[in-house]
Amino acid sequence: TSFTKKLLTPQPPPSINAATNGGGNSQGDSSYFLPGATVATILMLGALHARRMYDDKKHEEMREKGIELEFQPDAKASFLRLLPLRSISRCWGQLTSMEIPVWLRPHVYRAWARAFHSNLEEAALPLEEYTSLKEFFARALKEGSRPINADPQCLVSPVDGTVLRFGELKGAGAMIEQVKGFSYPVFSLLGASSLLPTAADINVQEEHTESITTTEKSKKSWWRVSLASPKVWDPTSSRAKRGLFYCVIYLNPGDYHRIHSPADWNILVRRHFSGHLYPVNERATRTIRNLYIENERVILEGVWQEGFMALAAVGATNIGSIELGAFNMG
Amino acid sequence: STVVLIFQAPISKLLQEGDSSQEFNFNVKCGDRIRVGEALGRWHSS
């Protein structure tokens, strides 16, 4: 706090009797040294930011021309593998959990909001009440900020973010496209013991429903639900065939970072995979192989009215921990 | 951070083997901004 205040208050110009202050020239030099280092750091950060903005602009132009960037590992991605990202993330977590003085909090959070395009109006609490950046980052929103789509036949988004990929998973080796030119198996993301229905399961499910509808039309039994396997029998939709779909949503640092249920579903399995903490930004998806499989993640699996549902929350360097659950008082 | 959602949803019964005509339709595009509670896609009972 004292260092910040010293920076913000104008320094008196060195005067002719600086020597008489007993500090001599060395005292004057040291007072110049600190601002010099700060200016150098700011200039370096500025240069890096300018380079980043230039790259982003170039990619944006390519995207507008409809040219999709392909998967291309590069030296920076390999260099990331050498960095102690878990330790860096842990330090970042400790730094952001430091208590900020009350008078400084609005300034810090507004700066964050300006940098990452956050909407501060939606925050549930006044800015002064978030003791640390970590607490502000995991903030709840005001009541009614996120109305849920009332259409009973729609699936809603569980998070705020940007849709990266979506589509239908077909065939036994269902693959999700990470970026053009590279895909990863969905079983690797969810884990070998996943409840994910395979094509064979789905066919058995169809035969099962058809045999029931033809042979026992008159004697329907509600008790024919078998919890021992992922086959879910629901007579109301037994006439419809089911496909498997996926959607990948990226949350940027300024987005609201709480995860909600995409539908009324029953979670059967929670699974945690410890792993790397690579960044998951757009550049990383194009340069790091199996990014979502190698990164730390939490998997929730269960069933909803239309069958199987799974949600994978993938961590990143600045998101080193994912809460699995919490006990609330009352 | 990133969230990957994988789910089953109805597709049309009148399928020819090998291709599918979807009943469930996404109503987003790549690059779209989306918020909690907004529809990702919907299906129509046939």
Side-chain angles (χ1 to χ4, degrees), chain A residues 172-200:
Chain A
M175 304 289 276
I176 295 180
E177 196 178 43
Q178 178 176 315
V179 73
K180 187 179 175 183
F182 181 80
S183 298
Y184 54 93
V186 72
F187 271 103
S188 303
L189 176 72
L190 299 181
S193 57
S194 164
L195 302 175
L196 182 73
T198 59

Side-chain angles (χ1 to χ4, degrees), chain A residues 149 151 153 155 157 160-164 168 210 241 243 245-247 249 251 255 257 304-305 308 310 312 314, chain B residues 1-11 13 15 22 30-38 40-43:
Chain A
N149 191 306
D151 181 349
Q153 290 185 321
L155 189 71
S157 174
D160 279 17
T162 305
V163 176
L164 290 186
E168 187 176 357
E210 275 163 17
K241 218 179 162 98
F245 295 86
Y246 74 91
C247 183
I249 301 172
L251 294 82
D255 281 337
H257 259 74
W304 70 306
Q305 68 181 49
F308 173 79
V314 182
Chain B
S1 39
T2 303
V3 162
V4 182
L5 188 60
I6 297 160
F7 54 94
Q8 272 186 302
I11 51 177
K13 181 76 177 157
L15 280 181
Q22 298 179 345
C30 288
D32 277 4
R33 291 285 298 165
I34 193 154
R35 301 185 346 162
V36 168
E38 290 177 354
L40 273 175
R42 54 173 47 90
W43 65 94

Side-chain angles (χ1 to χ4, degrees), chain A residues 44-238:
Chain A
M44 184 193 69
L45 289 174
L48 285 174
H49 190 61
R51 167 72 189 276
R52 174 89 179 263
M53 286 172 69
Y54 169 74
D55 282 345
D56 287 350
K57 189 163 174 295
K58 204 170 59 175
H59 291 154
E60 199 58 37
E61 284 167 6
M62 288 176 81
R63 203 176 286 123
E64 277 164 11
K65 290 175 189 165
I67 301 170
E68 187 177 349
L69 298 170
E70 293 211 9
F71 179 78
Q72 183 72 46
D74 63 3
K76 194 172 177 184
S78 331
F79 174 69
L80 275 178
R81 288 181 188 278
L82 303 174
L83 288 180
L85 293 177
R86 293 180 76 84
S87 309
I88 290 171
S89 181
R90 196 163 287 117
C91 294
W92 170 246
Q94 280 161 5
L95 180 68
T96 53
S97 56
M98 287 171 69
E99 186 167 344
I100 301 173
V102 176
W103 67 274
L104 194 55
R105 291 173 188 175
H107 300 292
V108 171
Y109 303 148
R110 283 203 192 92
W112 179 278
R114 208 174 298 118
F116 296 108
H117 313 294
S118 300
N119 181 349
L120 291 177
E121 301 307 314
E122 298 179 332
L125 303 174
L127 295 183
E128 291 76 8
E129 296 200 19
Y130 297 104
T131 55
S132 65
L133 184 59
K134 190 175 199 174
E135 203 176 292
F136 168 74
F137 183 77
R139 67 194 177 281
L141 298 184
K142 283 192 180 84
E143 200 61 36
S145 300
R146 293 288 180 277
I148 305 292
N149 191 306
D151 181 349
Q153 290 185 321
C154 95
L155 189 71
V156 298
S157 174
V159 288
D160 279 17
T162 305
V163 176
L164 290 186
R165 291 269 182 253
F166 63 90
E168 187 176 357
L169 295 168
K170 294 175 190 169
M175 304 289 276
I176 295 180
E177 196 178 43
Q178 178 176 315
V179 73
K180 187 179 175 183
F182 181 80
S183 298
Y184 54 93
V186 72
F187 271 103
S188 303
L189 176 72
L190 299 181
S193 57
S194 164
L195 302 175
L196 182 73
T198 59
D201 277 343
I202 291 177
N203 286 339
V204 166
Q205 188 180 1
E206 297 316 320
E207 287 160 15
H208 183 70
T209 46
E210 275 163 17
S211 63
I212 284 187
T213 46
T214 47
T215 53
E216 293 188 356
K217 193 163 256 155
S218 58
K219 291 186 303 168
K220 283 187 181 173
S221 159
W222 289 97
W223 300 104
R224 287 283 181 116
V225 175
S226 158
L227 290 179
S229 78
K231 302 187 243 350
V232 176
W233 177 63
D234 177 347
T236 54
S237 64
S238 61

Side-chain angles (χ1 to χ4, degrees), chain A residues 242-309:
Chain A
R242 289 200 186 90
L244 205 57
F245 295 86
Y246 74 91
C247 183
V248 181
I249 301 172
Y250 168 70
L251 294 82
N252 82 44
D255 281 337
Y256 165 59
H257 259 74
R258 291 190 176 205
I259 302 174
H260 296 255
S261 285
D264 185 7
W265 66 316
N266 183 16
I267 297 174
L268 302 176
V269 173
R270 284 188 178 93
R271 205 174 291 127
H272 168 236
F273 291 90
S274 68
H276 292 288
L277 287 174
Y278 297 124
V280 288
N281 53 32
E282 192 258 340
R283 180 180 211 293
T285 54
R286 284 186 288 110
T287 56
I288 299 178
R289 191 178 302 275
N290 289 322
L291 178 62
Y292 303 132
I293 295 173
E294 294 212 22
N295 259 20
E296 186 118 351
R297 64 196 184 279
V298 168
I299 310 288
L300 302 176
E301 278 189 358
V303 289
W304 70 306
Q305 68 181 49
E306 295 305 328
F308 173 79
M309 177 171 281

